[in-house]
Amino acid sequence: MSEIDKLRKIKEIDYDRYVDISSLEKMAAYAIKYLEDNQVNTTWTNVVIATYSLFPRRFAISEDFLDFPNAERISRTLMHLVPPKGRNYAIGSSKIDYALTPLGREVANEVEIIINREATIKNRKQEVISSIKTTPMTTYTDVKNSSEFKQYCGNNEYSVDMIWTLYKVIPFTQQDKILKKLVSALRFSQECGDVKCEEFISKMINSIQK
């Protein structure tokens, strides 16, 4: 089978299997491993194709246009793979084939374990924001106790993708519901005098309102 045929036959991984993977960079690292395992050159173009084809719900323009990749998000993700500013998961560029670093291979293996495990809930709904009535305190604690907020406190780096992983939704969907929760959480954080959490929530609100 030719390389082109192999790329065209890449199938989307069931969304249930990767919905809880928080890092886009980890998915891209797995895409590189996937290409290597299938004897496909890890050129920039091939990595872009594989990353989107395997994880379209994370790398599509929107839920309404899942057939169209978000070029900016994919490009940014690949830049974040490589040092010195990236996560040291791989080396490579648009001119040099990508190769996983030892750390990147470890991460890719972890992703493979997650996506290959048997789904415990077969019919998991994509509407994952709870319909149960929430209070300002619960919307605040949801953010305060999240891994995304802890990451932000650790390195002070923010990305709009934190919103989607925090609320476990397809990127750029359910924004009205999320915004209501964030506004409620913001007010509570202000009342508590939690400056850092207020700062983080404000960044998420600003991202949605752009």
Side-chain angles (χ1 to χ4, degrees):
M1 184 183 297
S2 70
E3 190 168 271
I4 292 177
D5 288 335
K6 289 179 180 179
L7 290 169
R8 286 176 173 168
K9 288 183 178 296
I10 296 176
K11 295 182 179 180
E12 174 187 1
I13 296 168
D14 289 342
Y15 184 59
D16 287 344
R17 301 293 180 91
Y18 66 88
V19 64
D20 292 325
I21 300 175
S22 60
S23 169
L24 298 179
E25 290 77 18
K26 289 181 179 180
M27 295 181 192
Y30 172 77
I32 295 173
K33 181 181 185 301
Y34 177 93
L35 293 176
E36 291 178 346
D37 291 347
N38 287 277
Q39 290 80 52
V40 177
N41 290 324
T42 53
T43 63
W44 185 89
T45 298
N46 290 352
V47 173
V48 168
I49 293 171
T51 301
Y52 168 70
S53 298
L54 291 166
F55 308 106
R57 293 181 182 272
R58 283 290 178 83
F59 291 98
I61 290 178
S62 71
E63 185 180 27
D64 295 325
F65 295 96
L66 291 177
D67 292 335
F68 299 92
N70 186 321
E72 180 182 358
R73 182 179 302 141
I74 297 176
S75 180
R76 184 174 66 246
T77 299
L78 295 185
M79 286 192 296
H80 289 171
L81 286 178
V82 300
K85 295 183 179 180
R87 298 181 182 277
N88 195 28
Y89 288 167
I91 56 173
S93 68
S94 60
K95 298 180 180 179
I96 303 173
D97 286 5
Y98 283 85
L100 293 172
T101 63
L103 175 60
R105 190 163 300 282
E106 180 179 336
V107 165
N109 288 335
E110 290 174 356
V111 172
E112 186 171 49
I113 290 171
I114 293 172
I115 63 179
N116 286 338
R117 69 188 176 191
E118 183 176 355
T120 56
I121 303 175
K122 294 184 179 179
N123 297 316
R124 182 172 184 170
K125 296 180 180 179
Q126 291 182 10
E127 185 74 23
V128 293
I129 295 181
S130 175
S131 59
I132 299 174
K133 184 178 180 181
T134 57
T135 65
M137 183 177 72
T138 58
T139 56
Y140 163 75
T141 55
D142 284 346
V143 175
K144 180 74 173 179
N145 296 330
S146 69
S147 60
E148 289 77 14
F149 178 63
K150 292 175 182 177
Q151 179 182 337
Y152 177 72
C153 290
N155 57 25
N156 215 38
E157 293 182 0
Y158 169 77
S159 166
V160 66
D161 294 320
M162 289 177 168
I163 300 174
W164 324 126
T165 57
L166 194 159
Y167 289 103
K168 294 183 173 62
V169 300
I170 297 171
F172 301 101
T173 64
Q174 305 186 46
Q175 294 185 65
D176 289 340
K177 291 183 179 180
I178 294 174
L179 185 59
K180 289 179 181 178
K181 287 178 175 284
L182 289 174
V183 170
S184 176
L186 178 65
R187 291 171 181 166
F188 195 86
S189 66
Q190 291 170 335
E191 292 175 2
C192 294
D194 190 337
V195 176
K196 194 66 176 179
C197 195
E198 177 186 346
E199 177 185 290
F200 181 61
I201 295 171
S202 295
K203 287 181 179 291
M204 290 193 287
I205 290 175
N206 290 336
S207 293
I208 292 177
Q209 290 181 333
K210 281 183 179 180

